[in-house]
Amino acid sequence: MNTLELEEVQVIEEKELSLVDFYNLQGMDMMEKASKFNSMLEKDVFTKRLFQQKIVACSPSAPVRSVKDVYSGHTKQMFQFASNDYLNLANHPKVVEAGVEAVRKYGAGPGSAPLLGGAFEMNIELEQRIAKFKHAESALVYPVGFSSNSSTLISLLQKDDLAILDMLVHASIVDGCKNTNLKHFKHNDIASLEMVLKKTKGEYRTRLVIVDGVYSMDGDIAPLDQIVALAKYYGAYVMIDDAHSTGVLGENGRGTSEYFGVEGQVDIISGTFSKALGGVGGFIAAKKELVELLGYCSRGFMFSTAMAPQVCASVLAALDIIEQEPERRVRLWKNIRYFKNSLLNLGFNVSHVESAIFPIITGDDQITKALWTDLFESNIYVGPVLYPAVPKRLSRVRISLMADHTQEHLDTLLTVLASLGKKYDLI
């Protein structure tokens, strides 16, 4: 090791490392980086008792859940505020039973990719159902939600095209745009979007504006009606990721397009079954011709085993419940309004939140880890979000609400947050 390499390693050891440092540690190969990362993790998790890497659940998704404590090795009951199971459908009896019946009838897995005979009739039924639900001509179902964005975009956009991204879109969208040209606009800023559309008009084969419906780290909503109108005016297409909107937004839970009254006007709608629908996997809904193209050129679909039969059956049952039990969405929005007003009264900065996602921003990774640990030790489980998952100085704990949270559950969390907000100078 030369003197320069020695100096670099000494600096690394003396400072607090964050996850982003491990993308490019100078003078270290991949196994050395892995060793260094594990040393940091060991120090944070077991010496400082900060930021657990993985929480092991021992019971189904619910507002109160059994969780394994890595320090004691015992399981304990915790208030769950880290789940995207917004309507509590993951453990709904009808959803579970539909999956069980499908396993008995079709087995645990399809055995092949869709184009090679792996699709059951219910796979096709789910694609037809989600297309109807989203007011689209056709749909394609992916076994992994991440691929519904990444694989779709990789297959559609190349070197002569342009992706115009809100600067806070999901990582799966960013990964899907690695083979094309990129422009970003300021988050939810229509003037910034118009500036990009003006400057790029006539320069690319395809221009696709891509936004999230509900932003998963901030809980705010894209102004989709304005975005669609502006894109149409400048001759661009629009794609929206409805992962956190499906089942939650709109009078019937159909998502952001319904919420803003622009159903049928969005060119591509993507989403997942892993949030309000309580399952796994994802989808693309669009014009029939575009969906047919993706079915033969989207690698994440072509080279993946088809969605498991029990997942298809459970998602179909979940769609039935969303349509038949609107009171679940009513309860969720009652919780959202109560919790937001309570946080504002305590002095937390959540005025921008418009959904079931509430970020408590600390602005410092170490404070976020400490806050998360204090909450965990108070039997409250939330999600810690550190740089680079969010920008520097915007690290946070992420709280998400469910329809079946009671006011007592919410008040328990609010009482703890009131105390910790003062401890960490957050209010």
Side-chain angles (χ1 to χ4, degrees), residues 78-372:
M78 299 191 71
F79 295 100
Q80 167 77 299
F81 288 98
S83 175
N84 297 320
D85 182 19
Y86 301 119
L87 300 179
N88 294 107
L89 297 184
N91 197 39
H92 191 289
K94 291 181 181 178
V95 173
V96 173
E97 186 56 34
V100 170
E101 288 181 9
V103 169
R104 290 191 179 121
K105 183 175 182 179
Y106 296 107
S112 185
L115 295 180
L116 299 177
F120 294 110
E121 287 182 347
M122 66 175 58
N123 295 74
I124 307 305
E125 181 184 354
L126 178 56
E127 290 178 340
Q128 293 170 344
R129 185 72 181 279
I130 200 68
K132 182 179 179 182
F133 186 69
K134 290 294 184 179
H135 284 202
E137 289 183 4
S138 188
L140 193 70
V141 167
Y142 288 81
V144 179
F146 196 95
S147 294
S148 63
N149 280 330
S150 61
S151 186
T152 291
L153 290 166
I154 286 172
S155 62
L156 293 180
L157 301 179
Q158 284 84 42
K159 64 179 182 178
D160 295 325
D161 305 312
L162 175 67
I164 303 173
L165 310 183
D166 184 293
M167 62 189 298
L168 296 185
V169 292
H170 193 265
S172 57
I173 293 172
V174 176
D175 279 9
C177 296
K178 287 184 176 178
N179 292 337
T180 193
N181 300 286
L182 278 179
K183 298 285 184 183
H184 292 86
F185 62 95
K186 294 178 183 177
H187 177 53
N188 278 350
D189 189 321
I190 296 301
S192 177
L193 171 59
E194 184 169 23
M195 187 180 301
V196 175
L197 287 167
K198 277 183 178 179
K199 287 183 177 180
T200 60
K201 190 173 183 179
E203 294 184 12
Y204 299 91
R205 180 177 59 186
T206 295
R207 294 186 301 163
L208 181 59
V209 178
I210 312 173
V211 298
D212 289 5
V214 171
Y215 285 87
S216 62
M217 290 297 117
D218 289 271
D220 53 352
I221 302 172
L224 186 61
D225 52 344
Q226 298 177 60
I227 291 168
V228 167
L230 198 61
K232 282 179 177 277
Y233 181 81
Y234 285 100
Y237 298 106
V238 176
M239 175 177 173
I240 185 165
D241 179 354
D242 248 357
H244 293 270
S245 313
T246 301
V248 175
L249 292 187
E251 183 179 352
N252 300 288
R254 292 199 296 265
T256 317
S257 298
E258 183 187 28
Y259 183 76
F260 284 105
V262 292
E263 287 182 297
Q265 299 179 45
V266 178
D267 300 289
I268 304 173
I269 301 174
S270 68
T272 68
F273 303 124
S274 59
K275 306 326 188 229
L277 287 160
V280 293
F283 65 87
I284 287 290
K287 285 188 177 296
K288 185 177 184 297
E289 293 83 359
L290 189 65
V291 172
E292 288 291 341
L293 174 65
L294 290 170
Y296 289 92
C297 71
S298 176
R299 293 186 177 214
F301 175 79
M302 294 171 60
F303 297 102
S304 294
T305 297
M307 180 177 281
Q310 67 269 29
V311 177
C312 278
S314 289
V315 171
L316 284 165
L319 284 167
D320 287 339
I321 294 167
I322 286 175
E323 294 177 340
Q324 296 166 7
E325 300 182 19
E327 62 272 16
R328 288 181 171 271
R329 197 160 42 258
V330 171
R331 292 203 308 272
L332 174 64
W333 279 98
K334 180 181 177 181
N335 283 342
I336 291 169
R337 288 189 289 269
Y338 175 78
F339 193 66
K340 179 176 180 177
N341 289 334
S342 298
L343 285 177
L344 288 172
N345 289 336
L346 288 174
F348 286 97
N349 181 18
V350 293
S351 58
H352 66 284
V353 171
E354 302 173 274
S355 70
I357 299 163
F358 289 83
I360 304 298
I361 297 174
T362 71
D364 181 274
D365 279 2
Q366 300 307 313
I367 293 176
T368 297
K369 294 175 185 179
L371 174 60
W372 181 89

Side-chain angles (χ1 to χ4, degrees), residues 46 49 52 67-76 376:
F46 293 107
R49 294 175 67 89
Q52 297 186 34
V67 171
K68 185 175 182 180
D69 187 333
V70 299
Y71 299 120
S72 67
H74 301 139
T75 58
K76 63 178 184 176
F376 187 82

